[in-house]
Amino acid sequence: MTETAIFAAGCFWGVETAFRRVDGVVEAEVGYIGGTTDKPTYHDVCGGRTGHAEACRVVFDPAVVGYDDLLAVFFRIHDPTQVNRQGPDIGNQYRSAIFFTSPEQESAARKVMAEIDSSGRLRRPLATQLVPAGPFWRAEEHHQRYHEKHGGHCAI
Ligand code: MHO
């Protein structure tokens, strides 16, 4: 049995690259979530008006990798204190967000976020949003496995 996790952490190219490297991740795809329109295109989302975040949908085998491990990867690959931005990429589509797919994921994420917040490790408050997953719209094919196709870096 597999489980699904969805994370937004800036430009989705790098997010997919990072999660694909994790043992126990059986599939990953990039797409758009958390907006107000159906079947958004990259162009729609870029404009920032639809409210979607660039995100990565990760299918994993919980017998091999835990949701907590994926949360650790998520927090390692981006700066969760930046609001509607990740480095050079600015706009609400680049927000930091966890889209939970079960009550168990919600509580696991809430716990980790509270730990990070109270650890004093961050110099600014955590900006990560914790929200229930609505529809995930798969992005255009040329955005899938982008770094594999074009080279490029990833944060970890
Ligand atoms: N800075 C990158 C972001 C692309 S990402 C898919 C670019 O503008 O190409 O949002």
Side-chain angles (χ1 to χ4, degrees):
M1 272 294 271
T2 56
E3 231 186 275
T4 299
I6 303 173
F7 300 107
C11 172
F12 53 17
W13 298 335
V15 183
E16 178 182 17
T17 304
F19 280 107
R20 279 192 176 280
R21 289 185 186 163
V22 177
D23 275 346
V25 168
V26 295
E27 191 48 83
E29 62 175 344
V30 296
Y32 315 110
I33 186 170
T36 52
T37 57
D38 289 354
K39 300 187 188 166
T41 64
Y42 184 69
H43 182 77
D44 296 333
V45 173
C46 252
R49 288 179 310 275
T50 68
H52 292 93
E54 289 195 14
C56 182
R57 180 174 169 274
V58 178
V59 181
F60 63 103
D61 179 351
V64 180
V65 67
Y67 186 64
D68 277 342
D69 301 314
L70 300 183
L71 288 169
V73 172
F74 168 75
F75 284 111
R76 198 158 67 232
I77 60 173
H78 79 302
D79 175 354
T81 68
Q82 295 193 15
V83 180
N84 291 335
R85 150 173 212 167
Q86 204 51 227
D89 297 323
I90 299 176
N92 68 9
Q93 71 271 34
Y94 297 117
R95 65 188 179 271
S96 171
I98 297 169
F99 295 88
F100 59 83
T101 66
S102 69
E104 291 76 21
Q105 287 189 358
E106 179 184 12
S107 48
R110 198 174 296 288
K111 185 162 171 265
V112 169
M113 286 168 66
E115 280 164 12
I116 292 173
D117 244 344
S118 62
S119 70
R121 260 194 300 132
L122 302 178
R123 278 171 299 148
R124 288 172 302 202
L126 198 59
T128 305
Q129 298 174 355
L130 179 60
V131 283
F136 177 90
W137 305 98
R138 182 178 164 91
E140 296 83 345
E141 265 332 289
H142 64 275
H143 287 297
Q144 308 294 334
R145 298 174 175 262
Y146 190 89
H147 286 154
E148 282 173 52
K149 293 172 188 162
H150 301 278
H153 70 286
C154 132
I156 56 167

